[in-house]
Amino acid sequence: MESAGHQPVLIIVTLLISAFLSPLLYRWRKFLSGMVLLAALTGAFVTALTLLGQVARSGELSYYLGNWPPPWGIELVIDPLRVYMLLVVTGVSLWIFVYALRDLEHELHHDVIGWYYSLYALLVASMSAMTLTNDLFNLFVLMEICAISACAIITIKDKRECLEAGFKYLIMSAMGTGCFLLGVAMIYMVTGYLNFSFIQTGLAAALSEYPLNIFTAAALFIVAFGTKAALFPLHVWLPDAHASAPSPSSAMLSGLVIKIYAFALFMIFYRVFPRSLLDAIPLNEIILWLGAMGVMFGSIYAMLQTDLKKMLAYSSIGQIAFIFMGIGLDQPLALTGGLYHIMVHAFTKSMLFMSAGAIIYSTGVRRISDLAGIGRVLPIPLLAFTIGSASMIGLPGTGGLISKWYLALGALETGRIFFLLVILASSLLNAIYYMPIVINAFMSGDEFKEKVKTVPPSMQATLVVGILLVVISGIFSRQIIVLFEQALTSLY
Amino acid sequence: METVSRLTENYFYLVAIILFVIGTHTMLTHSNMIKKVIAMNIMDSSVFLLFVAIGYTHGAQAPIIRDGADIVYANPLPGALIVTGIVVAVSVTAYALSIIVKIQRSYGTIDCDEICELRSDD
Amino acid sequence: MDQASIIIIMVVIVALPVVMTPVLMYICRISDRLRNGLAILTAAATFILTLLLYPFIRDGGVVQQSLFEILPNLEISIHLDILSFSLAALASFIWLLCTIYSIDYMAKEHACSRYYPVLIFTLGACQGIFFAGDLFSLFVFFELMSIIAYILIIHEQTEEALKAGYKYLVMTIIGGLALFFGIIIVFEIGGTVSLGVGVIIGEPSLLALIAFICFLIGFGMKAGMFPLHVWLPDAHPVAPSPASALLSGVMLKTGAYGLIRVVFHVYSVDLLRSSGWNNILAILAVITILLGSAVALTQTDIKRRLAYSSISQLGYVLLGLSILNNNALTGAVFHIFSHAFMKSALFLAAGAIIWKTGIRNINDMKGLGRLMPVTMGSFSLAALAMIGIPPLNGFLSKWTLALGALDAGMPGYVMVLLISSLLNALYYLPIIIPAFFESPEGEEINDHGDEGSHEVLFKIKEATPLMLSAIVILALCTIFFGLTPNNIIFSLSRLTALFLLGGGSF
């Protein structure tokens, strides 16, 4: 394995430094503070692109933090899947931040915006590091940073429902990290390593000797990541948290934060657990059934909502479950679908939350039934909403179809048509609750009654970019899928 | 008999698990927010305890290398990790408490059930 | 013409209307006349470009070309054979006439700036369906057309239209999911979904049967096949008349087209015959024919009656397809043409009546033949063709279908055709006969304030020449292509049947 340049750590350090600088600068020059973070995020994204180039040239790379070699030092690994995830994290957060620059002025008190920038940078830094790290304890620390900053971008909006939702989220995620750390202790006990690759060989050897320790650790990991990623039935904290947060935070939380934990679970399953463990106990089976139930219940709950952002939040529970189903089917095609859905849903749900945010920004309307005729006054946000809905349903030309296609192929390949039917049923349910909103917004005979403030151009532009991203992910997906196929066959 | 002796040998497992369950149970069932935060700390501490205990070896010394001496020493890594863990736990606690203060200011109570009732009135 | 230029023409045929859509949207702001002209020009250009492909097709040419790979082994590709050509030419012809008709019809309506771009866009999507080179591209264009057509259906934006549109949309999504399911199974079994490989599934299996049923649901939904026809009688009447004509005349046929492709390019004819799966289609088709005709009898709204009639007529096509022999298939393909001419003429004529007089109820149409002789005459011609009176084209298609049924040793199907023709007569004649042989009711004529004198009774109130020309051309088609079997469309149908049954050659 070759060693990389300093880019991986540069991404994280740049973001951490800007997390420190932004609130300071904000007191002096408000505009500059935002620009610093924007530059840092752009830098992170561009650096991630250069990493992609490196990986394409020379395969898997690793970076030793402080030049301490594993198993003692912390290792960052750069392989195709991680770089993909890193690109999604940095790219989507850059995109959301452009939107946030204007939207926050409306949602937050202007004193705290500097702090918001700081938390945002911390969140992105921790998520980027989580994609790259190859060390369990490092993962724990990053999870805690991520949890605190994710809660804080909810509670920063000084409204009572945000505070309560943030507290609920904090407690649930503290429980999750507690379970995770206990699991790490169990694994450390039997293997003596914290590095993913060393654990994998260690566990394979220790499995026959200490099966109970390892099984307990596996169960704890499922609970930990299930809670954090809102896997049914551990999703209870999500709707309040995602719905009450400021719109850019909702977009971040639904678009990226829950995905990063799903990705971490994927890493744990395929990079930490040896194949013999997955064969010994039906871990994938558990994830699969919970995922299938999440897909159905998330959609059913979403149908019952009257608040637009709450509906989107419940829909996230259904969509994240698709990713878990991909892991659960334990098959390269299904995993391809699940991993691709991470990106598709990051684009789609972030865009949906941003268009909901634009609606709230310009009219203050949150109730679904009050949206009649709004498409004629806010064409671009509602067009974005329409395309987002199409992707959720999985109509051709949007990314949603591609991920569903691969999940369905995976289900067929393993001979489990039932799960294919679950996927189709969820598409239908999505259609049933997304379509009336779109129809009502554009085609209703009523005129929109509320007063309308124009949406700033930068917000409109981000929505247009979102539309393009969703469509491009539905058409030009071949390269990414080929990359997945190569990377995933190495897992089996 | 063997089970009992294995339990007494590894009593710190038992203690850690009991503490963990107490913590989790309290955190999920009590409606008082302060109690939830305390429970969270109990839970974290139990894991820290377990982690540190793993590193301990009977009759070992601190890992300081002296000239030529071939000594048994305790594993320092868990201790180092747990220091980090404690720092993290403290910051989460501080943050949780600060939210509770704000919740108390806006709702006038720190009881989850009462807050639920208040919210349903909204 | 060489392959390369054929491919370019095909891409242009699909792309031109799609590209013109934003142009039309933009031009709407500048001038209405320019917009109308451009819409007609686009439809006409599409039609002419499609006709350019004829010399290539006549010699049995086939083009299969991949354009763009979306996923590994899954691509957007184009395919041209005689069946694609026939339907593409038909679709663009009807589209052209309906666009011409729209100019005057829609002049009174609101939101024309939405209507024309959508009309032209659906043309592009429809041509895309006919030129799709694999099931996935077919699915993409099929969904695109179905969903965009929703905007045409709810154009009036009344409560009723929105309700019908919602039903349509839900059915479309269900159909789309069924297609998705079917296509993915085919992909799983065969590793490809291309139409160019001949037969993808050669062995009967449970999965293959599930896929076949999924295709029946997906395409049958669009074709108004029982029991998935429920959206059709609501959706077709509420749309503006030119859009109804297109929905009934062309868009329904995309479902039939999809099924033809599935039967001949995914499954082998031998497989369907030996496993008896074609009987599923046959039974559903018989029920569709009888049910559509019977329910049409009970309708009093003229457009609803026409919509139910469409259901039963598409049943003929599906029945002809399910018999799987030369004559029956010729009849089915020819009936696609016949029905397109007849039903578009009927809907456009009904539209002209509604536009001019506001009458929708059949009982109020007494004496209309004297007020609107040309419209009503064309209506009658098309209706007689529907019933199957020689020498109109409806007779020719039914005759060929009946021959096919007899060849297959299924006289029962001939009975079904006869019963349905009888029912057709029962629900069309009560419109035509009173229209010509009874006097109009008094109050209907007095609305111009001409004291109700006897001269006014016979004052002609025809629609505008543009509208009439579209109606008359379609009505003449029913005679022209029905007089003898020696016409170009019948020979095209015959060649198509030979081509499909011969596995890709005449």
PDB file of all heavy atoms in Angstrom, chain A residues 359 363 365 367-378 382 436-450, chain C residues 162:
ATOM      1  N   ILE A 359     -39.430  28.093   0.541  1.00  0.00           N
ATOM      2  CA  ILE A 359     -40.856  28.397   0.689  1.00  0.00           C
ATOM      3  C   ILE A 359     -41.090  29.119   2.013  1.00  0.00           C
ATOM      4  O   ILE A 359     -41.793  30.135   2.077  1.00  0.00           O
ATOM      5  CB  ILE A 359     -41.684  27.099   0.628  1.00  0.00           C
ATOM      6  CG1 ILE A 359     -41.624  26.502  -0.772  1.00  0.00           C
ATOM      7  CG2 ILE A 359     -43.130  27.375   1.004  1.00  0.00           C
ATOM      8  CD1 ILE A 359     -42.204  25.108  -0.859  1.00  0.00           C
ATOM      9  N   THR A 363     -42.508  32.826   2.199  1.00  0.00           N
ATOM     10  CA  THR A 363     -43.919  32.991   2.560  1.00  0.00           C
ATOM     11  C   THR A 363     -44.215  32.677   4.015  1.00  0.00           C
ATOM     12  O   THR A 363     -45.257  33.092   4.523  1.00  0.00           O
ATOM     13  CB  THR A 363     -44.799  32.045   1.716  1.00  0.00           C
ATOM     14  OG1 THR A 363     -44.461  30.710   2.045  1.00  0.00           O
ATOM     15  CG2 THR A 363     -44.605  32.276   0.250  1.00  0.00           C
ATOM     16  N   VAL A 365     -44.998  29.764   5.034  1.00  0.00           N
ATOM     17  CA  VAL A 365     -45.961  28.664   5.085  1.00  0.00           C
ATOM     18  C   VAL A 365     -45.243  27.350   5.344  1.00  0.00           C
ATOM     19  O   VAL A 365     -44.224  27.068   4.737  1.00  0.00           O
ATOM     20  CB  VAL A 365     -46.728  28.574   3.750  1.00  0.00           C
ATOM     21  CG1 VAL A 365     -47.566  27.316   3.700  1.00  0.00           C
ATOM     22  CG2 VAL A 365     -47.589  29.787   3.581  1.00  0.00           C
ATOM     23  N   ARG A 367     -47.475  24.483   6.439  1.00  0.00           N
ATOM     24  CA  ARG A 367     -48.490  23.425   6.338  1.00  0.00           C
ATOM     25  C   ARG A 367     -48.674  23.025   4.878  1.00  0.00           C
ATOM     26  O   ARG A 367     -48.749  23.858   3.991  1.00  0.00           O
ATOM     27  CB  ARG A 367     -49.834  23.905   6.903  1.00  0.00           C
ATOM     28  CG  ARG A 367     -49.867  23.952   8.406  1.00  0.00           C
ATOM     29  CD  ARG A 367     -51.212  24.468   8.860  1.00  0.00           C
ATOM     30  NE  ARG A 367     -52.272  23.560   8.464  1.00  0.00           N
ATOM     31  CZ  ARG A 367     -52.626  22.491   9.170  1.00  0.00           C
ATOM     32  NH1 ARG A 367     -51.996  22.231  10.289  1.00  0.00           N
ATOM     33  NH2 ARG A 367     -53.589  21.708   8.759  1.00  0.00           N
ATOM     34  N   ILE A 368     -48.771  21.688   4.662  1.00  0.00           N
ATOM     35  CA  ILE A 368     -48.873  21.187   3.301  1.00  0.00           C
ATOM     36  C   ILE A 368     -50.144  21.692   2.635  1.00  0.00           C
ATOM     37  O   ILE A 368     -50.154  22.055   1.466  1.00  0.00           O
ATOM     38  CB  ILE A 368     -48.840  19.644   3.324  1.00  0.00           C
ATOM     39  CG1 ILE A 368     -47.446  19.187   3.714  1.00  0.00           C
ATOM     40  CG2 ILE A 368     -49.216  19.069   1.980  1.00  0.00           C
ATOM     41  CD1 ILE A 368     -47.329  17.727   3.967  1.00  0.00           C
ATOM     42  N   SER A 369     -51.217  21.774   3.414  1.00  0.00           N
ATOM     43  CA  SER A 369     -52.493  22.140   2.791  1.00  0.00           C
ATOM     44  C   SER A 369     -52.529  23.603   2.377  1.00  0.00           C
ATOM     45  O   SER A 369     -53.371  24.007   1.583  1.00  0.00           O
ATOM     46  CB  SER A 369     -53.630  21.849   3.762  1.00  0.00           C
ATOM     47  OG  SER A 369     -53.332  22.426   5.008  1.00  0.00           O
ATOM     48  N   ASP A 370     -51.604  24.425   2.913  1.00  0.00           N
ATOM     49  CA  ASP A 370     -51.606  25.844   2.545  1.00  0.00           C
ATOM     50  C   ASP A 370     -50.789  26.133   1.290  1.00  0.00           C
ATOM     51  O   ASP A 370     -50.626  27.292   0.919  1.00  0.00           O
ATOM     52  CB  ASP A 370     -51.033  26.681   3.689  1.00  0.00           C
ATOM     53  CG  ASP A 370     -51.920  26.620   4.911  1.00  0.00           C
ATOM     54  OD1 ASP A 370     -53.076  26.178   4.750  1.00  0.00           O
ATOM     55  OD2 ASP A 370     -51.469  27.007   5.996  1.00  0.00           O
ATOM     56  N   LEU A 371     -50.273  25.085   0.664  1.00  0.00           N
ATOM     57  CA  LEU A 371     -49.366  25.325  -0.449  1.00  0.00           C
ATOM     58  C   LEU A 371     -50.083  25.454  -1.787  1.00  0.00           C
ATOM     59  O   LEU A 371     -49.436  25.563  -2.821  1.00  0.00           O
ATOM     60  CB  LEU A 371     -48.341  24.193  -0.544  1.00  0.00           C
ATOM     61  CG  LEU A 371     -47.343  24.117   0.609  1.00  0.00           C
ATOM     62  CD1 LEU A 371     -46.493  22.880   0.482  1.00  0.00           C
ATOM     63  CD2 LEU A 371     -46.459  25.342   0.630  1.00  0.00           C
ATOM     64  N   ALA A 372     -51.403  25.441  -1.788  1.00  0.00           N
ATOM     65  CA  ALA A 372     -52.141  25.467  -3.051  1.00  0.00           C
ATOM     66  C   ALA A 372     -51.741  26.677  -3.886  1.00  0.00           C
ATOM     67  O   ALA A 372     -51.733  27.807  -3.407  1.00  0.00           O
ATOM     68  CB  ALA A 372     -53.635  25.493  -2.778  1.00  0.00           C
ATOM     69  N   GLY A 373     -51.383  26.432  -5.127  1.00  0.00           N
ATOM     70  CA  GLY A 373     -51.108  27.522  -6.048  1.00  0.00           C
ATOM     71  C   GLY A 373     -49.755  28.182  -5.870  1.00  0.00           C
ATOM     72  O   GLY A 373     -49.458  29.161  -6.546  1.00  0.00           O
ATOM     73  N   ILE A 374     -48.916  27.640  -4.977  1.00  0.00           N
ATOM     74  CA  ILE A 374     -47.650  28.326  -4.686  1.00  0.00           C
ATOM     75  C   ILE A 374     -46.665  28.197  -5.846  1.00  0.00           C
ATOM     76  O   ILE A 374     -45.765  29.018  -6.018  1.00  0.00           O
ATOM     77  CB  ILE A 374     -47.041  27.789  -3.373  1.00  0.00           C
ATOM     78  CG1 ILE A 374     -45.997  28.771  -2.842  1.00  0.00           C
ATOM     79  CG2 ILE A 374     -46.462  26.421  -3.559  1.00  0.00           C
ATOM     80  CD1 ILE A 374     -45.521  28.435  -1.486  1.00  0.00           C
ATOM     81  N   GLY A 375     -46.851  27.152  -6.683  1.00  0.00           N
ATOM     82  CA  GLY A 375     -45.937  26.947  -7.803  1.00  0.00           C
ATOM     83  C   GLY A 375     -45.923  28.110  -8.774  1.00  0.00           C
ATOM     84  O   GLY A 375     -44.937  28.344  -9.468  1.00  0.00           O
ATOM     85  N   ARG A 376     -47.005  28.862  -8.826  1.00  0.00           N
ATOM     86  CA  ARG A 376     -47.040  29.967  -9.781  1.00  0.00           C
ATOM     87  C   ARG A 376     -46.301  31.187  -9.258  1.00  0.00           C
ATOM     88  O   ARG A 376     -45.858  32.012 -10.043  1.00  0.00           O
ATOM     89  CB  ARG A 376     -48.488  30.310 -10.102  1.00  0.00           C
ATOM     90  CG  ARG A 376     -49.156  29.238 -10.941  1.00  0.00           C
ATOM     91  CD  ARG A 376     -50.469  29.718 -11.515  1.00  0.00           C
ATOM     92  NE  ARG A 376     -51.496  29.784 -10.484  1.00  0.00           N
ATOM     93  CZ  ARG A 376     -52.282  28.757 -10.168  1.00  0.00           C
ATOM     94  NH1 ARG A 376     -52.177  27.637 -10.808  1.00  0.00           N
ATOM     95  NH2 ARG A 376     -53.185  28.875  -9.221  1.00  0.00           N
ATOM     96  N   VAL A 377     -46.165  31.286  -7.929  1.00  0.00           N
ATOM     97  CA  VAL A 377     -45.424  32.436  -7.409  1.00  0.00           C
ATOM     98  C   VAL A 377     -43.959  32.096  -7.133  1.00  0.00           C
ATOM     99  O   VAL A 377     -43.108  32.967  -7.171  1.00  0.00           O
ATOM    100  CB  VAL A 377     -46.082  33.028  -6.146  1.00  0.00           C
ATOM    101  CG1 VAL A 377     -47.340  33.752  -6.508  1.00  0.00           C
ATOM    102  CG2 VAL A 377     -46.357  31.964  -5.118  1.00  0.00           C
ATOM    103  N   LEU A 378     -43.665  30.837  -6.834  1.00  0.00           N
ATOM    104  CA  LEU A 378     -42.273  30.444  -6.580  1.00  0.00           C
ATOM    105  C   LEU A 378     -41.897  29.320  -7.541  1.00  0.00           C
ATOM    106  O   LEU A 378     -41.781  28.162  -7.127  1.00  0.00           O
ATOM    107  CB  LEU A 378     -42.117  29.955  -5.138  1.00  0.00           C
ATOM    108  CG  LEU A 378     -42.293  30.957  -4.028  1.00  0.00           C
ATOM    109  CD1 LEU A 378     -42.218  30.270  -2.684  1.00  0.00           C
ATOM    110  CD2 LEU A 378     -41.232  32.029  -4.110  1.00  0.00           C
ATOM    111  N   LEU A 382     -40.369  25.312  -6.393  1.00  0.00           N
ATOM    112  CA  LEU A 382     -41.325  24.222  -6.568  1.00  0.00           C
ATOM    113  C   LEU A 382     -40.914  23.284  -7.698  1.00  0.00           C
ATOM    114  O   LEU A 382     -41.214  22.105  -7.661  1.00  0.00           O
ATOM    115  CB  LEU A 382     -42.731  24.793  -6.810  1.00  0.00           C
ATOM    116  CG  LEU A 382     -43.585  24.910  -5.561  1.00  0.00           C
ATOM    117  CD1 LEU A 382     -43.939  23.520  -5.049  1.00  0.00           C
ATOM    118  CD2 LEU A 382     -42.922  25.683  -4.454  1.00  0.00           C
ATOM    119  N   PRO A 436     -49.443  14.764  -4.609  1.00  0.00           N
ATOM    120  CA  PRO A 436     -50.490  15.762  -4.361  1.00  0.00           C
ATOM    121  C   PRO A 436     -49.923  17.140  -4.046  1.00  0.00           C
ATOM    122  O   PRO A 436     -50.523  18.154  -4.406  1.00  0.00           O
ATOM    123  CB  PRO A 436     -51.241  15.185  -3.168  1.00  0.00           C
ATOM    124  CG  PRO A 436     -50.993  13.744  -3.217  1.00  0.00           C
ATOM    125  CD  PRO A 436     -49.616  13.578  -3.770  1.00  0.00           C
ATOM    126  N   ILE A 437     -48.751  17.165  -3.392  1.00  0.00           N
ATOM    127  CA  ILE A 437     -48.169  18.470  -3.063  1.00  0.00           C
ATOM    128  C   ILE A 437     -47.807  19.200  -4.345  1.00  0.00           C
ATOM    129  O   ILE A 437     -48.121  20.383  -4.534  1.00  0.00           O
ATOM    130  CB  ILE A 437     -46.917  18.277  -2.193  1.00  0.00           C
ATOM    131  CG1 ILE A 437     -47.294  17.550  -0.916  1.00  0.00           C
ATOM    132  CG2 ILE A 437     -46.269  19.603  -1.889  1.00  0.00           C
ATOM    133  CD1 ILE A 437     -46.123  17.208  -0.059  1.00  0.00           C
ATOM    134  N   VAL A 438     -47.151  18.469  -5.249  1.00  0.00           N
ATOM    135  CA  VAL A 438     -46.725  19.087  -6.503  1.00  0.00           C
ATOM    136  C   VAL A 438     -47.946  19.533  -7.316  1.00  0.00           C
ATOM    137  O   VAL A 438     -48.008  20.659  -7.818  1.00  0.00           O
ATOM    138  CB  VAL A 438     -45.878  18.074  -7.306  1.00  0.00           C
ATOM    139  CG1 VAL A 438     -45.558  18.625  -8.671  1.00  0.00           C
ATOM    140  CG2 VAL A 438     -44.618  17.738  -6.555  1.00  0.00           C
ATOM    141  N   ILE A 439     -48.938  18.641  -7.403  1.00  0.00           N
ATOM    142  CA  ILE A 439     -50.128  18.965  -8.190  1.00  0.00           C
ATOM    143  C   ILE A 439     -50.811  20.186  -7.612  1.00  0.00           C
ATOM    144  O   ILE A 439     -51.167  21.132  -8.313  1.00  0.00           O
ATOM    145  CB  ILE A 439     -51.093  17.769  -8.180  1.00  0.00           C
ATOM    146  CG1 ILE A 439     -50.474  16.593  -8.905  1.00  0.00           C
ATOM    147  CG2 ILE A 439     -52.412  18.142  -8.821  1.00  0.00           C
ATOM    148  CD1 ILE A 439     -51.257  15.326  -8.738  1.00  0.00           C
ATOM    149  N   ASN A 440     -50.956  20.159  -6.281  1.00  0.00           N
ATOM    150  CA  ASN A 440     -51.639  21.244  -5.615  1.00  0.00           C
ATOM    151  C   ASN A 440     -50.898  22.556  -5.821  1.00  0.00           C
ATOM    152  O   ASN A 440     -51.504  23.608  -5.997  1.00  0.00           O
ATOM    153  CB  ASN A 440     -51.703  20.896  -4.127  1.00  0.00           C
ATOM    154  CG  ASN A 440     -52.895  21.500  -3.472  1.00  0.00           C
ATOM    155  OD1 ASN A 440     -53.824  21.893  -4.175  1.00  0.00           O
ATOM    156  ND2 ASN A 440     -52.867  21.579  -2.171  1.00  0.00           N
ATOM    157  N   ALA A 441     -49.570  22.466  -5.822  1.00  0.00           N
ATOM    158  CA  ALA A 441     -48.781  23.687  -5.931  1.00  0.00           C
ATOM    159  C   ALA A 441     -48.912  24.306  -7.316  1.00  0.00           C
ATOM    160  O   ALA A 441     -48.945  25.524  -7.460  1.00  0.00           O
ATOM    161  CB  ALA A 441     -47.318  23.395  -5.621  1.00  0.00           C
ATOM    162  N   PHE A 442     -48.964  23.466  -8.349  1.00  0.00           N
ATOM    163  CA  PHE A 442     -48.964  24.024  -9.703  1.00  0.00           C
ATOM    164  C   PHE A 442     -50.355  24.132 -10.299  1.00  0.00           C
ATOM    165  O   PHE A 442     -50.655  25.047 -11.038  1.00  0.00           O
ATOM    166  CB  PHE A 442     -48.101  23.158 -10.630  1.00  0.00           C
ATOM    167  CG  PHE A 442     -46.644  23.399 -10.457  1.00  0.00           C
ATOM    168  CD1 PHE A 442     -45.839  22.485  -9.810  1.00  0.00           C
ATOM    169  CD2 PHE A 442     -46.071  24.566 -10.927  1.00  0.00           C
ATOM    170  CE1 PHE A 442     -44.503  22.718  -9.651  1.00  0.00           C
ATOM    171  CE2 PHE A 442     -44.728  24.807 -10.773  1.00  0.00           C
ATOM    172  CZ  PHE A 442     -43.941  23.873 -10.128  1.00  0.00           C
ATOM    173  N   MET A 443     -51.201  23.139 -10.012  1.00  0.00           N
ATOM    174  CA  MET A 443     -52.415  23.008 -10.798  1.00  0.00           C
ATOM    175  C   MET A 443     -53.670  23.437 -10.074  1.00  0.00           C
ATOM    176  O   MET A 443     -54.731  23.480 -10.665  1.00  0.00           O
ATOM    177  CB  MET A 443     -52.578  21.538 -11.226  1.00  0.00           C
ATOM    178  CG  MET A 443     -51.454  21.044 -12.083  1.00  0.00           C
ATOM    179  SD  MET A 443     -51.303  22.068 -13.545  1.00  0.00           S
ATOM    180  CE  MET A 443     -49.817  21.421 -14.266  1.00  0.00           C
ATOM    181  N   SER A 444     -53.548  23.692  -8.787  1.00  0.00           N
ATOM    182  CA  SER A 444     -54.758  24.034  -8.057  1.00  0.00           C
ATOM    183  C   SER A 444     -55.390  25.287  -8.639  1.00  0.00           C
ATOM    184  O   SER A 444     -54.708  26.207  -9.082  1.00  0.00           O
ATOM    185  CB  SER A 444     -54.405  24.252  -6.597  1.00  0.00           C
ATOM    186  OG  SER A 444     -55.439  24.971  -5.987  1.00  0.00           O
ATOM    187  N   GLY A 445     -56.698  25.317  -8.627  1.00  0.00           N
ATOM    188  CA  GLY A 445     -57.392  26.477  -9.168  1.00  0.00           C
ATOM    189  C   GLY A 445     -57.259  27.705  -8.287  1.00  0.00           C
ATOM    190  O   GLY A 445     -57.409  28.830  -8.757  1.00  0.00           O
ATOM    191  N   ASP A 446     -56.963  27.489  -6.985  1.00  0.00           N
ATOM    192  CA  ASP A 446     -56.909  28.634  -6.073  1.00  0.00           C
ATOM    193  C   ASP A 446     -55.650  29.453  -6.304  1.00  0.00           C
ATOM    194  O   ASP A 446     -54.617  28.927  -6.674  1.00  0.00           O
ATOM    195  CB  ASP A 446     -56.899  28.150  -4.610  1.00  0.00           C
ATOM    196  CG  ASP A 446     -58.020  27.177  -4.346  1.00  0.00           C
ATOM    197  OD1 ASP A 446     -58.984  27.213  -5.129  1.00  0.00           O
ATOM    198  OD2 ASP A 446     -57.913  26.383  -3.395  1.00  0.00           O
ATOM    199  N   GLU A 447     -55.766  30.728  -6.027  1.00  0.00           N
ATOM    200  CA  GLU A 447     -54.591  31.577  -6.060  1.00  0.00           C
ATOM    201  C   GLU A 447     -53.908  31.492  -4.696  1.00  0.00           C
ATOM    202  O   GLU A 447     -54.552  31.264  -3.678  1.00  0.00           O
ATOM    203  CB  GLU A 447     -54.978  33.025  -6.340  1.00  0.00           C
ATOM    204  CG  GLU A 447     -55.356  33.273  -7.784  1.00  0.00           C
ATOM    205  CD  GLU A 447     -54.208  32.967  -8.738  1.00  0.00           C
ATOM    206  OE1 GLU A 447     -53.074  33.395  -8.446  1.00  0.00           O
ATOM    207  OE2 GLU A 447     -54.463  32.297  -9.753  1.00  0.00           O
ATOM    208  N   PHE A 448     -52.577  31.677  -4.699  1.00  0.00           N
ATOM    209  CA  PHE A 448     -51.860  31.649  -3.435  1.00  0.00           C
ATOM    210  C   PHE A 448     -52.121  32.947  -2.689  1.00  0.00           C
ATOM    211  O   PHE A 448     -52.017  34.033  -3.253  1.00  0.00           O
ATOM    212  CB  PHE A 448     -50.367  31.465  -3.697  1.00  0.00           C
ATOM    213  CG  PHE A 448     -49.591  31.240  -2.451  1.00  0.00           C
ATOM    214  CD1 PHE A 448     -49.775  30.070  -1.747  1.00  0.00           C
ATOM    215  CD2 PHE A 448     -48.702  32.183  -1.999  1.00  0.00           C
ATOM    216  CE1 PHE A 448     -49.068  29.857  -0.576  1.00  0.00           C
ATOM    217  CE2 PHE A 448     -47.995  31.964  -0.842  1.00  0.00           C
ATOM    218  CZ  PHE A 448     -48.180  30.806  -0.126  1.00  0.00           C
ATOM    219  N   LYS A 449     -52.478  32.805  -1.390  1.00  0.00           N
ATOM    220  CA  LYS A 449     -52.979  33.981  -0.692  1.00  0.00           C
ATOM    221  C   LYS A 449     -51.908  34.762   0.072  1.00  0.00           C
ATOM    222  O   LYS A 449     -51.979  35.982   0.167  1.00  0.00           O
ATOM    223  CB  LYS A 449     -54.058  33.539   0.302  1.00  0.00           C
ATOM    224  CG  LYS A 449     -55.317  33.035  -0.363  1.00  0.00           C
ATOM    225  CD  LYS A 449     -56.292  32.571   0.695  1.00  0.00           C
ATOM    226  CE  LYS A 449     -57.020  31.305   0.331  1.00  0.00           C
ATOM    227  NZ  LYS A 449     -56.229  30.099   0.219  1.00  0.00           N
ATOM    228  N   GLU A 450     -50.922  34.063   0.629  1.00  0.00           N
ATOM    229  CA  GLU A 450     -49.991  34.747   1.535  1.00  0.00           C
ATOM    230  C   GLU A 450     -49.141  35.780   0.788  1.00  0.00           C
ATOM    231  O   GLU A 450     -49.018  35.759  -0.426  1.00  0.00           O
ATOM    232  CB  GLU A 450     -49.055  33.733   2.196  1.00  0.00           C
ATOM    233  CG  GLU A 450     -49.730  32.517   2.739  1.00  0.00           C
ATOM    234  CD  GLU A 450     -50.463  32.817   4.032  1.00  0.00           C
ATOM    235  OE1 GLU A 450     -49.985  33.684   4.776  1.00  0.00           O
ATOM    236  OE2 GLU A 450     -51.511  32.206   4.271  1.00  0.00           O
TER     237      GLU A 450
ATOM    238  N   LEU C 162     -59.024  17.542 -12.100  1.00  0.00           N
ATOM    239  CA  LEU C 162     -57.935  17.236 -11.175  1.00  0.00           C
ATOM    240  C   LEU C 162     -58.113  15.843 -10.589  1.00  0.00           C
ATOM    241  O   LEU C 162     -57.150  15.101 -10.417  1.00  0.00           O
ATOM    242  CB  LEU C 162     -57.888  18.279 -10.058  1.00  0.00           C
ATOM    243  CG  LEU C 162     -57.315  19.627 -10.471  1.00  0.00           C
ATOM    244  CD1 LEU C 162     -57.489  20.632  -9.354  1.00  0.00           C
ATOM    245  CD2 LEU C 162     -55.840  19.497 -10.810  1.00  0.00           C
TER     246      LEU C 162
END
